[in-house]
Amino acid sequence: IVRPCLYFLKKENELIFLTFKNIMNIDLEIVKTDKMIRKVRQTRARIKLAMGKMEDQYSYTTSSCFRGNIFGDIIRKKRTDKLNSTINKIQQDLLNLESDLLLYDENLAKSLRLPAKMAEAGRVNGILDDISLRSRMRYREFDVAKSLRNLETILGKLEDDKKKLRFIKKDQKGLI
């Protein structure tokens, strides 16, 4: 026996009026939310793998024989290119997730944050230039970590929405 109840579910500045006609919509919303949670978790796993690859990019030799010559420039260019290609993969994953989030909830998609790529290394003549290049590489890794934390907050919001929907479904069936 289903109790005759009316509910208001607040979902990011949007009120949904639930009646008996919308009972099946709750099941569909739960399925959509589960799919989004799965996609966000997959993206989070790919970002964590990419961050593991990024950690070793700034640990190259800083010997004085590689400063100010073509060999050092080649090493630094290779490192920055690898870093930028990793960030590019992360950006593509986040953009794909953003397109899916736009269909689910615009406000969640707006809160998604993309990391920025690194500029070209240029010529490094002294140890200070080398230190600044490494610090910029570390900052890009920190930028990806901020995007990952942002993704985890989106995941938390999606899981909260799922809990709310399940509570309403149980209450409509008279289990609570």
Side-chain angles (χ1 to χ4, degrees):
I1 298 174
V2 179
R3 290 186 281 169
C5 298
L6 301 176
Y7 295 95
F8 290 99
L9 175 68
K10 184 166 174 37
K11 183 179 179 182
E12 298 295 327
N13 299 327
E14 175 183 340
L15 290 178
I16 301 172
F17 182 66
L18 298 175
T19 61
F20 294 115
K21 294 177 185 176
N22 297 351
I23 291 173
M24 293 305 293
N25 289 342
I26 291 174
D27 290 331
L28 292 175
E29 284 295 318
I30 290 173
V31 169
K32 285 180 187 178
T33 305
D34 281 339
K35 285 182 182 179
M36 286 309 304
I37 288 173
R38 194 176 318 116
K39 288 179 184 179
V40 169
R41 285 184 179 156
Q42 288 172 351
T43 304
R44 183 180 65 173
R46 284 193 295 265
I47 289 175
K48 283 184 179 180
L49 284 174
M51 281 182 66
K53 292 177 184 177
M54 288 176 67
E55 287 178 1
D56 297 332
Q57 293 303 317
Y58 51 81
S59 61
Y60 57 87
T61 182
T62 59
S63 176
S64 61
C65 63
F66 288 117
R67 284 190 207 112
N69 61 25
I70 194 162
F71 297 116
D73 292 344
I74 290 172
I75 290 172
R76 282 183 284 280
K77 182 170 177 20
K78 183 179 174 184
R79 295 290 178 162
T80 55
D81 286 346
K82 280 186 181 180
L83 192 70
N84 281 338
S85 69
T86 305
I87 291 174
N88 188 30
K89 289 176 187 176
I90 292 170
Q91 284 179 344
Q92 289 302 317
D93 285 340
L94 289 174
L95 286 173
N96 290 339
L97 180 67
E98 185 181 25
S99 66
D100 293 335
L101 279 173
L102 279 171
L103 296 175
Y104 179 77
D105 187 8
E106 259 185 60
N107 293 325
L108 285 178
K110 287 179 186 176
S111 65
L112 199 61
R113 186 183 179 287
L114 293 177
K117 289 185 183 178
M118 191 174 162
E120 288 296 321
R123 183 163 288 262
V124 174
N125 292 322
I127 195 161
L128 293 177
D129 293 337
D130 219 6
I131 291 171
S132 69
L133 177 66
R134 285 179 181 216
S135 65
R136 283 184 281 153
M137 286 180 169
R138 286 188 183 114
Y139 180 73
R140 292 300 163 216
E141 184 180 356
F142 178 70
D143 200 21
V144 171
K146 284 196 294 189
S147 297
L148 183 64
R149 282 195 307 267
N150 182 266
L151 194 63
E152 289 172 353
T153 58
I154 290 173
L155 181 63
K157 289 178 183 178
L158 286 170
E159 288 173 347
D160 288 343
D161 285 347
K162 182 180 172 182
K163 286 178 186 176
K164 288 177 188 176
L165 288 169
R166 284 195 174 168
F167 176 78
I168 291 172
K169 183 179 176 183
K170 284 181 183 178
D171 196 25
Q172 284 180 348
K173 286 184 178 179
L175 297 175
I176 294 177

